Amino acid sequence: MSDNWLEQVYEERKQELFRFLYVILGEQQAAEDALQETFLKAYLHRSRYIEMQQEKAWLYQIARNTAYDMLRKRRREFPMEKELLHDVMEQHVKQNEMDGNLLYMEMVAGLNEVEREIVSLKIIGGLTHREIAKVLHKTTGSVKKRYERALSKLKEKYQEA
């Protein structure tokens, strides 16, 4: 592993990881914070990860765990009913356009949490079904099936619009 490993990985992956984190967290600042924390954790634990062929999946797993830690902390600090949280996030998405993310956020809003993650990891992250299965701790077959179902839902939603 070279001395400038972190810098290289950051430049290669920062945009796609940011978009993934934004989909989960729904806020630009939170996604930026999670991105920084993801790379800090990757740097601190780089010795644990030897097989760099799986680097992308490893980074997405760190990012996902970081985002969900932030969400849990946010819920403890600001307890809200699930419906209210959904309404707040939906309102936030409508008010804050970020490049092409608005359309994507609207499209995936109708998917459940797991489907959103799978679609985001596949579309934004470019991960394979096997890599997604590793990140989400699911079987490859399960990921493929959920991805197909999510695409069907998105297709229906697109045709309705």
Side-chain angles (χ1 to χ4, degrees):
M1 198 178 300
S2 65
D3 292 338
N4 60 353
W5 168 79
L6 183 64
E7 185 178 337
Q8 289 173 343
V9 171
Y10 180 77
E11 288 304 318
E12 290 173 13
R13 306 279 182 224
K14 68 180 177 183
Q15 294 289 28
E16 64 192 53
L17 282 169
F18 172 79
R19 288 191 300 267
F20 174 68
L21 290 164
Y22 183 78
V23 167
I24 294 173
L25 296 168
E27 295 178 12
Q28 180 178 354
Q29 186 60 47
E32 289 171 359
D33 292 345
L35 182 66
Q36 288 180 358
E37 192 170 331
T38 296
F39 280 101
L40 176 62
K41 288 176 181 179
Y43 179 75
L44 293 174
H45 301 289
R46 69 191 180 282
S47 62
R48 292 185 189 170
Y49 194 78
I50 298 168
E51 297 176 27
M52 295 313 282
Q53 293 94 3
Q54 298 291 322
E55 177 181 278
K56 194 173 184 179
W58 180 64
L59 284 171
Y60 272 94
Q61 189 167 13
I62 294 171
R64 177 182 181 265
N65 292 341
T66 300
Y68 282 109
D69 287 346
M70 291 176 78
L71 286 174
R72 278 190 291 277
K73 183 179 179 187
R74 188 186 304 168
R75 286 184 190 127
R76 280 194 308 268
E77 291 174 357
F78 306 103
M80 290 186 188
E81 295 295 324
K82 221 173 193 179
E83 295 155 15
L84 180 59
L85 180 61
H86 183 274
D87 292 345
V88 168
M89 293 204 34
E90 189 174 294
Q91 188 74 3
H92 178 78
V93 168
K94 288 179 182 175
Q95 291 174 357
N96 298 303
E97 289 189 34
M98 282 189 52
D99 302 326
N101 289 342
L102 180 64
L103 178 60
Y104 180 79
M105 291 289 286
E106 288 175 352
M107 290 297 291
V108 299
L111 302 177
N112 68 42
E113 189 175 310
V114 175
E115 291 169 337
R116 268 196 314 271
E117 281 187 289
I118 291 171
V119 169
S120 296
L121 286 168
K122 185 76 174 156
I123 293 173
I124 295 173
L127 271 66
T128 65
H129 292 294
R130 174 182 258 157
E131 290 170 327
I132 295 169
K134 183 178 179 184
V135 170
L136 300 179
H137 306 291
K138 301 201 177 301
T139 65
T140 304
S142 169
V143 167
K144 285 180 182 179
K145 195 63 173 171
R146 287 176 183 232
Y147 182 68
E148 290 171 10
R149 287 182 187 149
L151 289 182
S152 293
K153 287 180 183 179
L154 290 172
K155 185 178 178 182
E156 286 176 25
K157 191 172 187 174
Y158 179 76
Q159 289 173 343
E160 288 173 5

